[in-house]
């Protein structure tokens, strides 16, 4: 510190706070508390937090240290909606394809992939399907085919750095149906390959049961109730279900839960 106001220290940390290891920032803050007036110290804390956020940390230092580190850099939250009726139609086809990219360090949403898909075997949605999912005919008419959507998913994965071998990511679903039954079944029917990154996932129901000691029979509704969380959006909307999954994961992570793969290798 070159003067009583501590301006040199703040300027230094303002220009390079993100380059400092966490332990050095902590020591600097402790030293500053002894040397700087309270108002200047508050500004110092604000600067460090802003610099960390601007470099992709996405959370304050307090939030970063409030739960243990996860095993994955990113969680890819996915929840399909598909053609359906009573009795069930076959084959079912994916009509909503949402993914949320969740930062494994902050448990905050960093990016979203969301597309509707044109069904080809049963192109006309049933009234039951629309009532359940909220997806009307006009939302799928003229949309890309599943093959085209899968190509765009791959482009999004590459753009987000998720195909880098050094980046650990894993899909998260509410149940095993999405990636064990729905996607591989439709891809097999259409003669499409299934990318390797879709072949391992975390079933949130299993993770919740490990963390809370009870099985959520009613899925997201039971998990939100068990964690005293408000349900987000419309049930059976794919993108809203993804937001609920992300919120449940964040809550469990803040309680100290470490997420692990639950699917068996293909």
């Amino acid at each position: 510190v070159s003067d009583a106001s501590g301006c040199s220290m703040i300027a230094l940390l303002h220009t390079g706070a993100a380059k400092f290891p966490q332990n050095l920032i902590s020591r600097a803050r402790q030293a500053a508390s002894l040397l700087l007036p309270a108002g200047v110290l508050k500004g110092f804390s604000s600067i460090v937090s802003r610099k960390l956020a601007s470099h992709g940390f996405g959370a304050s230092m307090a939030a970063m240290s409030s739960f243990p580190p996860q095993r994955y850099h990113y969680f890819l939250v996915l929840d399909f909606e598909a053609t359906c009726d009573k009795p069930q139609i076959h084959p079912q086809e994916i009509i909503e394809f949402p993914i949320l990219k969740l930062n494994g360090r902050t448990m905050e949403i960093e990016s979203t992939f969301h597309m509707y898909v044109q069904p080809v075997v049963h192109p006309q949605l049933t009234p039951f399907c629309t009532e359940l999912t909220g997806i009307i005919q006009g939302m799928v008419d003229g949309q890309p085919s599943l093959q085209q959507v899968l190509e765009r998913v791959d482009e999004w994965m590459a753009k987000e750095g998720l195909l880098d071998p050094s980046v650990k990511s894993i899909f998260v679903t509410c149940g095993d149906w999405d990636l064990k039954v729905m996607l591989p079944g439709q891809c097999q029917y259409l003669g499409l390959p299934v990318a390797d990154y879709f072949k391992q996932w975390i079933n949130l129901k299993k993770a919740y049961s490990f963390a809370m000691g009870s099985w959520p029979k009613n899925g997201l509704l039971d998990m939100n109730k068990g964690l005293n969380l408000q349900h987000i959006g419309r049930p059976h909307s794919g993108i809203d279900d993804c937001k609920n999954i992300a919120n449940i994961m964040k809550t469990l992570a803040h309680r100290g839960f470490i997420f692990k793969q639950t699917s068996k290798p293909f």
Side-chain angles (χ1 to χ4, degrees), residues 109-218:
I109 298 168
E110 286 194 352
S111 182
T112 301
F113 177 94
H114 186 211
M115 293 189 72
Y116 291 99
V117 190
Q118 170 76 63
V120 294
V121 182
H122 301 286
Q124 192 70 29
L125 301 183
T126 65
F128 174 83
C129 183
T130 294
E131 183 179 353
L132 180 70
T133 66
I135 299 173
I136 62 174
Q137 193 65 40
M139 295 166 70
V140 297
D141 283 346
Q143 295 301 309
S145 66
L146 179 64
Q147 180 177 359
Q148 293 169 322
V149 171
L150 290 172
E151 290 170 355
R152 296 189 189 183
V153 169
D154 203 66
E155 292 169 0
W156 178 79
M157 296 275 288
K159 180 176 70 72
E160 295 293 327
L162 298 167
L163 302 184
D164 184 336
S166 66
V167 175
K168 293 186 65 178
S169 65
I170 190 168
F171 279 90
V172 183
T173 58
C174 184
D176 291 321
W177 175 83
D178 300 81
L179 294 178
K180 186 176 184 179
V181 177
M182 186 62 239
L183 183 64
Q186 190 178 356
C187 284
Q188 183 179 28
Y189 184 89
L190 297 173
L192 302 174
V194 178
D196 286 343
Y197 45 70
F198 287 126
K199 296 180 180 179
Q200 49 275 321
W201 63 90
I202 294 169
N203 177 344
L204 183 64
K205 292 180 183 179
K206 291 182 180 178
Y208 176 91
S209 69
F210 296 153
M212 303 295 290
S214 63
W215 183 261
K217 294 180 180 179
N218 294 313

Side-chain angles (χ1 to χ4, degrees), residues 2-20:
S2 61
D3 55 63
S5 67
C7 291
S8 295
M9 175 182 284
I10 292 176
L12 175 62
L13 287 166
H14 179 76
T15 56
K19 300 178 182 179
F20 278 68

